[in-house]
Amino acid sequence: MKKTLTLVAAALLAACTQSPTGRSQLLLNNEGQVDQMGIQSFDELKKKEKIDTDPKTNRYVQCVAGAITHVLPGEQQGNWEVVVFDSKEVNAFALPGKKIGVYTGLLKVADSPDQLAAVLGHEVGHVLAHHSNERLTQNQLTTGALVLAEVALGVSDTKNRDLYMAAIGLGATVGVLLPYSRKQESEADAIGLKLMAQAGFDPSQAVTLWHNMEKSNSGAPPELLSTHPSAGTRIQRLEKALPSVLPLYRAAPSHPSCKL
């Protein structure tokens, strides 16, 4: 028993890492396997949702997404699949495995390239910070389903397939929703603000975006009852962070001209 506990402690220690903002994380799953889960979730969603094929809309979204992914570090750059879904839903997402989805309803609220960049920077921030892996780890530890000797996420045959797929971030796909925590959402906001500035998008428009979001979502639950920070809290934090990222925006080698 003592030997087992020692092995468990060693495994947990080895899995400790830091997010891009310096926050301590525990990641117990192989990133390659998490990427495969994201790819499979995305493929499933494309079969279920209506895909928007309008060339103008797709060029616009690809332009903004391409600028964001171009400034990502190392192997995260390039080759991201971007799909526009024809839906009134005001939403977008990014998944491990280099996948981005944008719902056309979002384009009515994020009504400029800079505002869309704020959303996509935030969503890609979740991927950069390995939030899906972190959430999987937290769920495994909470449910007691973790076997440290062999953390195998073979999505096609795992007993908890739906639970694991939901943890990637596509709750609507499998009927189970495990949303990101407020801490992860705030971290993705910080990462996204930096990414959009580096990509040449005006970071001050992230504040405008959330004012728009606040107007379009008057029925949102109180912050304490939600996993997402309230729009007001987000606006305050973004305004406070602006002075640190405006120099990145001014120093950006280009400022994308994406038009819808």
Side-chain angles (χ1 to χ4, degrees):
M1 181 66 177
K2 184 176 180 180
K3 183 177 181 181
T4 301
L5 291 175
T6 300
L7 290 173
V8 169
L12 290 172
L13 183 61
C16 289
T17 185
Q18 284 191 332
S19 73
T21 64
R23 180 174 61 86
S24 296
Q25 291 179 297
L26 183 64
L27 307 176
L28 291 170
N29 302 289
N30 179 277
E31 281 297 328
Q33 291 172 317
V34 176
D35 285 351
Q36 287 303 311
M37 292 168 64
I39 292 169
Q40 184 167 337
S41 290
F42 197 67
D43 288 342
E44 288 185 6
L45 190 66
K46 287 191 295 182
K47 294 175 183 177
K48 295 181 179 181
E49 298 283 348
K50 182 180 179 181
I51 295 176
D52 187 288
T53 58
D54 178 65
K56 187 176 181 180
T57 302
N58 276 267
R59 280 195 300 269
Y60 171 66
V61 173
Q62 290 278 355
C63 178
V64 177
I68 292 291
T69 58
H70 182 71
V71 299
L72 299 182
E75 295 181 356
Q76 289 287 357
Q77 282 190 16
N79 299 319
W80 283 69
E81 181 181 5
V82 182
V83 174
V84 181
F85 295 100
D86 185 2
S87 170
K88 293 180 180 180
E89 186 174 350
V90 181
N91 204 0
F93 61 86
L95 297 178
K98 296 185 176 181
K99 306 296 180 181
I100 291 174
V102 175
Y103 293 87
T104 51
L106 174 65
L107 303 181
K108 296 180 180 180
V109 179
D111 57 12
S112 73
D114 301 279
Q115 291 178 35
L116 180 58
V119 177
L120 297 188
H122 167 93
E123 297 302 333
V124 171
H126 281 304
V127 177
L128 288 187
H130 305 290
H131 286 164
S132 293
N133 193 337
E134 184 177 28
R135 188 166 53 174
L136 276 169
T137 297
Q138 291 167 347
N139 184 67
Q140 290 163 328
L141 292 173
T142 300
T143 61
L146 178 65
V147 180
L148 292 175
E150 47 178 359
V151 182
L153 297 179
V155 176
S156 61
D157 58 9
T158 182
K159 293 180 181 179
N160 293 316
R161 176 181 181 278
D162 284 355
L163 192 60
Y164 288 138
M165 294 294 278
I168 285 296
L170 285 180
T173 302
V174 294
V176 181
L177 182 61
L178 296 179
Y180 291 116
S181 70
R182 288 196 294 272
K183 184 182 294 184
Q184 289 169 327
E185 288 292 336
S186 295
E187 184 169 56
D189 278 346
I191 296 171
L193 196 67
K194 183 177 179 181
L195 287 176
M196 69 179 295
Q198 290 175 322
F201 295 102
D202 182 1
S204 67
Q205 285 296 302
V207 175
T208 305
L209 166 74
W210 281 104
H211 279 298
N212 292 349
M213 287 285 193
E214 195 171 33
K215 293 175 184 177
S216 70
N217 196 25
S218 58
E223 180 176 359
L224 290 177
L225 301 179
S226 171
T227 58
H228 287 59
S230 70
T233 296
R234 276 186 147 141
I235 289 168
Q236 290 177 358
R237 289 175 179 170
L238 289 169
E239 287 178 333
K240 186 177 180 179
L242 279 178
S244 67
V245 296
L246 282 172
L248 297 176
Y249 168 59
R250 299 187 187 104
S254 64
H255 294 83
S257 179
C258 304
K259 297 180 180 179
L260 180 60

